[in-house]
Amino acid sequence: MAQTETDGLEVLETREWVDSLDYVLSKGGPNRAGRLLQQLALHARREAGINLPFSATTPYQNTIPSRSQPPFPGSQEMERRIKSLVRWNALAMVVRANKIQEGIGGHISTFASAATLYEVAFNHFFRAQTESGDRDVVYFQGHAAPGIYSRAYLEGRISKEKLQNFRRELKPGGGLSSYPHPWLMPEFWEFPTVSMGLGPIQAIYHARFIKYLENRGLKQTTGGKVWGFLGDGEMDEPESLGSITLASREKLDNLIFVVNCNLQRLDGPVRGNGKIIQELEAIFRGAGWNVIKVIWGSDWDSLIQSDRDGLLVKRLGEVSDGQYQKYFVESGAYFRQNLFGSDPRLLKMVEHLSDDQLARMRLGGHDPIKVHAAYRAAMDHTGQPTIILAKTIKGYGLGEAGEGKNITHQQKKLNEDELQMFRSRFGIPIPDDELHNAPFYRPSDDSAEIKYMQARRQQLGGYMPTRKVRAAALKSVPDAHFDEFHKGTDGREVSTTMVFVRLLAKLLRDPELGKLIVPIVPDEARTFGMEALFRQVGIYSSVGQNYEPVDMDTLLYYKEAKNGQILEEGITESGSMCSFIAAGCAYANHGINTIPFFIYYSMFGFQRIGDLIWAAADMRCRGFLVGGTAGRTTLAGEGLQHQDGHSHVLALPVPNLHCYDPAFAYEIAIIIQDGIKRMYVDQESIFYYLTVGNEPLAMPEMPQNGNIREGVLKGLYRFKASTRSDAKLRAQLLGSGAIMFEVLKAQQILEEKYGVGADVWSVTSYKELYRDANDCERWNMLHPADAAKVPYVTQTLKDAAGPFIAASDYMKVLPESLGKWVPGQLVSLGTDGFGRSESRVALRDFFEVDAKHIVLATLGALAREKKIGTDVVKRAIQELGINPEKANPAVS
């Protein structure tokens, strides 16, 4: 049989099968057709060994066919006019800012590509309040901020003066932040998203936390959605994709991702030689998401519908994204020849269209009808999270100034001709003689456009974005929860981690406060001795426990429950931190004062997820970060990758984070009690970092002399005065965390063997002391004629005689940060360098922070002050068994 005859027969057979499938669809519907196709595939595999080629993608066309689109509910023309106004003012804001201040920055092209995606959502989907009183949550793409400001200006929420001060926040009257920053605009922005990748992972865990609140009865099920607006280039960030299976596993149908696939990142194509939409479809379909592709606008409907043999769709799927980008900037004739010219049959399909018509054929992400259909399908979908992949053109509307070009992300200026083109294309009523100033334009309040947009937002419950504190202040926590920790352990050895867990268990039992506490653990609960909480409050699972755990017969078995309280996140500090943020911001986002306690290996906190901690600070998050197994020498055996000696240094830059390295049980109790008060009673926008260790030690009773509570909170107090009040040689020993016990040993050695009367001071927070001292310095600089303020550390130590020896399980730079305010010679001992797999005794000797090195440092300081001779120091080196030629731990 000739090849042409065979080809013709195949076409005929295919057409018959397609017609049969169409019949089944018309009579039985999509479900019946799907079952039939599955049965055919199974039959082919069983009877003939035919394995269908695997494909995680669908053809390069819209997921929702035009016949299935719901009617568009609004006025397309009115919404187009509003969108044009938003576009203009967003562009004018950036152009004006860079005219006033060269290089001030700003981004035009991202919002230009996403304007339709946002406008359809603002007019029909973003609910500031649902019928049941809740709302939708939206993570706006950071680089689209000018468009969000522009819309708020048209709504009357942001003044023209604010727009004029875009990226100039320190001007009189204030301005607008570059990107979404709740710290800077606490009544407007909710989520900082411009550190790319943090928005997607936060949205996932926020959606899951909403389900957690609902399943625990802390919040009613309301149908609110979490929207994440993302860029296709952003999806390369590990955080963007790293937790997507959590969303499908938890069946988070309250989560919708909208990815603006404009095919470009900052420097060039996202996938010049590939297809980012197809790649993301494969990833998310494989992860169990509902994927909706919005590729082609309505102009393409008739062509695709007439493509009975799939020739056009096949060709559209062959072209790379880099080539599509070329199509966007070329003429209609080029588009015709290069896309359709590959086959005479394709050219035949478009022969009725002029070159100009071909050039103007819209993509799906710029078509309100297609976008609305995708959003409606996402809203109605149940059982899965949804991702919408919308194809757009970066810099859409900028024309020669940057539409679709590689330089468009950095475009900040337009000349007068380019402004005129943009003005005319979008019908903005600004005369030519004013264009050079790029003036803002807002119709009057009684104009049709303003009335329409106000009515739409009123129907959807109010304006967005809007941030406000929705939760009332809590009552003070009863002192009774903390009293036992003030009494010490009467010689019984416990670690500070166990003290924390004991306190947490007591708080969980409180009838009012307990239900609000959210323990978060990245698969280390047993390491931290928290397994008793499994039975007490349960581990959260959205489906309960559908299996019998292997330790069911034990008292502390692994108990999962739908109303469980512990968030056991698995091995993911990033995911755990996102849960911490969701819980720590629920006071504003959901009106619920949840109190998160996130306990983790301290080494894997700031070092691994510092960006998320910075975002938490920006969001005015509340709660307690608890660095467990802390201290370079306190965590024995684990070695270089696990032993933390620098998290308190890395915590220094976070402005609203209060950091403590407590040594004793009562210090932990005082810090947590005060933290709950400040965050949830006084409603301060702060959060806490505590480090706790796993070394069992006898916890002393809280001293009764002096104001210990104030000292603990401010960072310094005298814990134990020397018993040698008559000693001529004096020294001051400063200790923190587990090294405090080495300091106490050193105090005894100094008194008994060397006649040195040494007082011991507990430094609970170098950061608090550093902050206070800098505040005083600044005030004194600005008020030279007034009485100088004295830092707390200076006041507290002013009468202390002798040198000051500070020892901690952290880097030496921590105590040294206070050097200029300590009233005497300061010697810092710390754990600079890589950790080792060894015992605590060996590690403390190696890093020179044990009792004998503290003694040596003290004697050396006294010798430098000419209080003793160097011969005493040399003799001490021998007596203490110190090798003066040992390797330097900081570099070895």
Side-chain angles (χ1 to χ4, degrees), residues 703-754:
Q704 300 305 308
N705 57 306
N707 193 343
I708 301 300
R709 182 179 295 273
E710 179 188 42
V712 168
L713 297 175
K714 288 190 173 183
L716 173 69
Y717 67 96
R718 186 162 65 178
F719 171 71
K720 185 179 180 183
S722 172
T723 58
R724 294 286 302 273
S725 58
D726 58 338
K728 293 181 179 180
L729 297 175
R730 305 290 301 176
Q732 309 300 320
L733 307 182
L734 282 59
S736 304
I739 300 302
M740 170 59 83
F741 292 84
E742 296 294 325
V743 170
L744 290 168
K745 292 176 191 175
Q747 179 192 39
Q748 185 177 357
I749 296 171
L750 284 165
E751 291 180 347
E752 293 178 356
K753 295 189 67 172
Y754 300 99

Coordinates of all heavy atoms in Angstrom, one line a residue, residues 703-754:
P703 N 18.2 34.3 92.9 CA 18.7 35.1 94.0 C 17.6 36.1 94.4 O 16.8 36.6 93.6 CB 19.9 35.8 93.4 CG 20.3 35.0 92.3 CD 19.1 34.4 91.7
Q704 N 17.6 36.4 95.7 CA 16.6 37.4 96.2 C 17.2 38.8 96.4 O 16.4 39.7 96.6 CB 16.1 36.9 97.6 CG 15.5 35.5 97.6 CD 14.3 35.4 96.6 OE1 13.4 36.2 96.6 NE2 14.4 34.4 95.7
N705 N 18.5 38.9 96.2 CA 19.1 40.3 96.3 C 19.0 41.0 95.0 O 19.2 40.5 93.9 CB 20.6 40.1 96.7 CG 21.3 39.3 95.7 OD1 21.0 38.2 95.4 ND2 22.4 39.8 95.2
G706 N 18.6 42.3 95.1 CA 18.6 43.1 93.9 C 17.4 42.8 93.0 O 16.6 41.9 93.2
N707 N 17.3 43.6 91.9 CA 16.2 43.5 91.0 C 16.6 42.5 89.9 O 17.0 42.9 88.8 CB 15.8 44.8 90.4 CG 14.5 44.7 89.6 OD1 14.0 43.7 89.3 ND2 13.9 45.9 89.4
I708 N 16.5 41.2 90.2 CA 17.0 40.2 89.3 C 16.1 40.2 88.0 O 16.7 40.0 86.9 CB 16.9 38.8 89.9 CG1 17.8 38.8 91.2 CG2 17.3 37.7 89.0 CD1 19.2 39.0 91.0
R709 N 14.8 40.4 88.1 CA 14.0 40.3 87.0 C 14.4 41.4 85.9 O 14.5 41.1 84.7 CB 12.5 40.5 87.4 CG 11.5 40.5 86.2 CD 10.1 40.7 86.8 NE 9.7 39.6 87.6 CZ 9.2 38.4 87.2 NH1 9.0 38.2 85.9 NH2 8.9 37.5 88.0
E710 N 14.6 42.6 86.4 CA 15.1 43.7 85.5 C 16.4 43.3 84.9 O 16.6 43.5 83.7 CB 15.2 45.0 86.3 CG 15.7 46.1 85.4 CD 16.0 47.4 86.2 OE1 16.7 47.2 87.3 OE2 15.7 48.5 85.8
G711 N 17.3 42.8 85.7 CA 18.6 42.4 85.1 C 18.5 41.3 84.0 O 19.2 41.4 83.0
V712 N 17.7 40.3 84.3 CA 17.5 39.2 83.3 C 17.0 39.8 82.0 O 17.5 39.5 80.9 CB 16.5 38.2 83.8 CG1 16.1 37.2 82.7 CG2 17.1 37.4 85.0
L713 N 16.0 40.7 82.0 CA 15.4 41.2 80.8 C 16.3 42.2 80.1 O 16.3 42.3 78.9 CB 14.0 41.9 81.2 CG 13.0 40.9 81.7 CD1 11.7 41.6 82.2 CD2 12.7 39.8 80.7
K714 N 17.0 43.0 80.9 CA 17.9 44.0 80.3 C 19.2 43.4 79.8 O 19.9 44.0 79.1 CB 18.1 45.2 81.2 CG 16.9 46.1 81.4 CD 17.3 47.3 82.2 CE 16.1 48.3 82.2 NZ 16.4 49.6 82.9
G715 N 19.5 42.2 80.3 CA 20.7 41.5 79.8 C 21.8 41.3 80.8 O 22.8 40.5 80.4
L716 N 21.8 41.8 82.0 CA 22.9 41.6 82.9 C 22.5 41.8 84.3 O 21.8 42.8 84.7 CB 24.0 42.7 82.5 CG 25.2 42.8 83.4 CD1 26.1 41.6 83.3 CD2 26.0 44.1 83.0
Y717 N 23.0 41.0 85.2 CA 22.9 41.2 86.7 C 24.0 40.3 87.4 O 24.5 39.4 86.8 CB 21.5 40.7 87.1 CG 21.2 39.2 87.0 CD1 21.4 38.4 88.1 CD2 20.8 38.7 85.8 CE1 21.2 37.0 88.0 CE2 20.6 37.3 85.6 CZ 20.8 36.5 86.7 OH 20.6 35.1 86.6
R718 N 24.2 40.7 88.6 CA 25.2 40.0 89.4 C 24.5 38.8 90.0 O 23.6 38.9 90.8 CB 25.8 40.9 90.5 CG 27.0 40.1 91.2 CD 27.9 41.0 92.0 NE 27.2 41.7 93.1 CZ 27.7 42.5 94.0 NH1 29.0 42.8 93.8 NH2 27.0 43.0 94.9
F719 N 25.0 37.6 89.6 CA 24.4 36.4 90.1 C 25.1 35.9 91.4 O 24.4 35.5 92.4 CB 24.6 35.3 89.1 CG 24.3 33.9 89.6 CD1 22.9 33.6 89.8 CD2 25.2 32.9 89.8 CE1 22.6 32.3 90.3 CE2 24.9 31.7 90.3 CZ 23.6 31.4 90.5
K720 N 26.4 36.0 91.5 CA 27.0 35.5 92.7 C 28.3 36.4 93.1 O 29.2 36.4 92.3 CB 27.4 34.1 92.6 CG 28.0 33.4 93.8 CD 28.4 32.0 93.6 CE 28.9 31.3 94.9 NZ 29.4 29.9 94.6
A721 N 28.2 37.0 94.2 CA 29.4 37.8 94.6 C 30.4 36.9 95.2 O 30.2 35.8 95.6 CB 28.9 38.8 95.7
S722 N 31.7 37.4 95.2 CA 32.8 36.6 95.7 C 32.6 36.4 97.2 O 32.2 37.3 97.9 CB 34.1 37.3 95.4 OG 35.2 36.7 96.1
T723 N 33.0 35.3 97.7 CA 33.1 35.1 99.1 C 34.3 35.7 99.8 O 34.4 35.8 101.0 CB 33.1 33.5 99.5 OG1 34.2 32.9 98.8 CG2 31.8 32.9 98.9
R724 N 35.3 36.1 98.9 CA 36.5 36.7 99.4 C 36.4 38.3 99.3 O 37.0 38.9 98.5 CB 37.7 36.2 98.6 CG 38.0 34.8 98.7 CD 38.7 34.5 100.0 NE 39.9 35.2 100.2 CZ 41.1 34.8 99.7 NH1 41.2 33.6 99.1 NH2 42.2 35.6 99.9
S725 N 35.5 38.8 100.2 CA 35.3 40.3 100.1 C 36.5 41.0 100.5 O 36.7 42.2 100.2 CB 34.1 40.6 101.0 OG 34.4 40.2 102.4
D726 N 37.5 40.4 101.2 CA 38.7 41.0 101.7 C 39.9 40.9 100.7 O 41.0 41.4 101.0 CB 39.1 40.5 103.0 CG 39.3 38.9 103.0 OD1 38.8 38.3 102.0 OD2 40.1 38.4 103.8
A727 N 39.6 40.2 99.6 CA 40.7 40.0 98.7 C 41.2 41.2 98.1 O 40.5 42.1 97.6 CB 40.3 39.0 97.6
K728 N 42.6 41.3 97.9 CA 43.1 42.5 97.3 C 43.0 42.5 95.8 O 43.0 43.5 95.1 CB 44.6 42.7 97.7 CG 44.8 43.0 99.2 CD 46.3 43.1 99.5 CE 46.5 43.4 101.0 NZ 47.9 43.6 101.4
L729 N 43.1 41.3 95.3 CA 42.9 41.1 93.8 C 41.5 40.9 93.5 O 40.8 40.0 94.1 CB 43.8 39.9 93.3 CG 45.3 39.9 93.5 CD1 45.9 38.6 93.1 CD2 45.9 41.1 92.7
R730 N 41.0 41.7 92.5 CA 39.6 41.6 92.2 C 39.4 41.4 90.7 O 40.2 41.8 89.9 CB 38.8 42.9 92.6 CG 39.0 43.3 94.0 CD 38.3 42.4 95.0 NE 36.8 42.4 94.7 CZ 36.0 41.6 95.3 NH1 36.4 40.8 96.3 NH2 34.7 41.6 95.0
A731 N 38.3 40.7 90.3 CA 38.0 40.4 88.9 C 36.5 40.2 88.8 O 35.8 39.9 89.8 CB 38.8 39.2 88.4
Q732 N 36.0 40.4 87.6 CA 34.6 40.3 87.3 C 34.4 39.2 86.2 O 35.0 39.4 85.1 CB 33.9 41.6 86.9 CG 34.2 42.7 87.8 CD 33.7 42.5 89.2 OE1 32.6 41.9 89.4 NE2 34.5 42.9 90.3
L733 N 33.7 38.2 86.4 CA 33.5 37.1 85.5 C 32.1 37.2 84.9 O 31.1 37.2 85.6 CB 33.7 35.7 86.1 CG 35.0 35.6 86.9 CD1 35.1 34.1 87.4 CD2 36.2 35.9 86.0
L734 N 32.0 37.2 83.6 CA 30.7 37.3 82.9 C 30.4 36.0 82.2 O 31.2 35.6 81.3 CB 30.7 38.5 81.9 CG 30.5 39.9 82.4 CD1 31.6 40.3 83.4 CD2 30.4 40.9 81.3
G735 N 29.3 35.4 82.5 CA 29.0 34.1 81.9 C 27.6 34.1 81.3 O 26.7 34.9 81.6
S736 N 27.4 33.2 80.3 CA 26.1 33.0 79.6 C 25.9 31.6 79.3 O 26.8 30.8 79.1 CB 26.2 33.8 78.3 OG 26.5 35.1 78.4
G737 N 24.6 31.2 79.2 CA 24.2 29.9 78.8 C 25.0 28.8 79.7 O 25.2 29.0 80.8
A738 N 25.3 27.7 79.0 CA 25.9 26.6 79.7 C 27.3 26.9 80.2 O 27.8 26.3 81.2 CB 26.0 25.4 78.8
I739 N 28.0 27.9 79.6 CA 29.3 28.2 80.0 C 29.3 29.0 81.4 O 30.3 29.1 82.0 CB 30.0 29.1 78.9 CG1 30.1 28.3 77.6 CG2 31.4 29.6 79.3 CD1 30.8 27.0 77.7
M740 N 28.1 29.4 81.8 CA 28.0 30.0 83.1 C 28.5 29.0 84.2 O 29.2 29.5 85.2 CB 26.5 30.4 83.4 CG 26.3 30.7 84.9 SD 27.2 32.2 85.4 CE 26.2 33.5 84.8
F741 N 28.3 27.8 84.0 CA 28.8 26.8 85.0 C 30.3 26.6 85.0 O 30.9 26.3 86.1 CB 28.0 25.5 84.8 CG 26.6 25.6 85.1 CD1 25.7 26.0 84.2 CD2 26.1 25.2 86.4 CE1 24.3 26.2 84.4 CE2 24.7 25.4 86.7 CZ 23.8 25.8 85.7
E742 N 30.9 26.8 83.9 CA 32.4 26.9 83.8 C 32.9 28.1 84.5 O 33.9 28.1 85.2 CB 32.9 26.9 82.4 CG 32.5 25.6 81.6 CD 33.2 24.4 82.1 OE1 34.4 24.5 82.6 OE2 32.7 23.3 82.1
V743 N 32.2 29.2 84.4 CA 32.5 30.5 85.1 C 32.4 30.3 86.6 O 33.3 30.8 87.3 CB 31.6 31.6 84.6 CG1 31.8 32.9 85.4 CG2 31.8 31.9 83.1
L744 N 31.4 29.6 87.0 CA 31.3 29.4 88.5 C 32.4 28.5 89.0 O 32.9 28.8 90.1 CB 29.9 28.8 88.8 CG 28.7 29.7 88.6 CD1 27.4 28.9 88.6 CD2 28.7 30.8 89.7
K745 N 32.8 27.6 88.2 CA 34.0 26.7 88.6 C 35.3 27.6 88.7 O 36.1 27.5 89.6 CB 34.2 25.6 87.6 CG 33.2 24.5 87.6 CD 33.4 23.5 86.5 CE 32.3 22.6 86.3 NZ 32.5 21.7 85.1
A746 N 35.4 28.5 87.7 CA 36.6 29.4 87.6 C 36.6 30.3 88.8 O 37.7 30.6 89.4 CB 36.6 30.2 86.3
Q747 N 35.4 30.8 89.2 CA 35.4 31.7 90.4 C 35.9 30.9 91.6 O 36.7 31.5 92.4 CB 33.9 32.1 90.7 CG 33.7 32.9 91.9 CD 32.3 33.1 92.3 OE1 31.5 32.1 92.3 NE2 31.8 34.3 92.7
Q748 N 35.6 29.7 91.8 CA 36.1 28.9 92.9 C 37.6 28.7 92.9 O 38.3 28.9 93.9 CB 35.3 27.6 93.0 CG 35.7 26.8 94.2 CD 34.9 25.5 94.3 OE1 34.0 25.2 93.4 NE2 35.1 24.6 95.3
I749 N 38.1 28.4 91.7 CA 39.5 28.2 91.5 C 40.3 29.4 91.8 O 41.3 29.4 92.5 CB 39.9 27.6 90.1 CG1 39.2 26.3 89.9 CG2 41.4 27.6 89.9 CD1 39.3 25.8 88.5
L750 N 39.8 30.6 91.3 CA 40.5 31.8 91.5 C 40.6 32.2 93.0 O 41.6 32.7 93.5 CB 39.8 32.9 90.7 CG 40.0 32.9 89.2 CD1 39.0 33.8 88.5 CD2 41.4 33.4 88.9
E751 N 39.5 32.0 93.7 CA 39.4 32.3 95.1 C 40.3 31.4 95.9 O 41.1 31.8 96.8 CB 38.0 32.2 95.6 CG 37.1 33.3 95.1 CD 35.7 33.2 95.6 OE1 35.3 32.2 96.2 OE2 34.9 34.2 95.4
E752 N 40.3 30.1 95.6 CA 41.0 29.1 96.5 C 42.4 29.0 96.1 O 43.3 28.8 97.1 CB 40.3 27.7 96.3 CG 38.9 27.7 96.9 CD 38.2 26.4 96.7 OE1 38.8 25.5 96.0 OE2 37.0 26.2 97.1
K753 N 42.8 29.1 94.9 CA 44.2 28.8 94.5 C 45.0 30.1 94.3 O 46.3 30.1 94.4 CB 44.3 28.0 93.3 CG 43.7 26.6 93.5 CD 44.0 25.6 92.3 CE 45.5 25.3 92.2 NZ 45.7 24.3 91.2
Y754 N 44.3 31.2 93.9 CA 45.1 32.4 93.5 C 44.7 33.7 94.2 O 45.2 34.7 93.9 CB 45.0 32.6 92.0 CG 45.5 31.4 91.2 CD1 44.6 30.4 90.7 CD2 46.8 31.2 91.0 CE1 45.1 29.3 90.0 CE2 47.3 30.1 90.3 CZ 46.4 29.2 89.8 OH 46.9 28.1 89.1

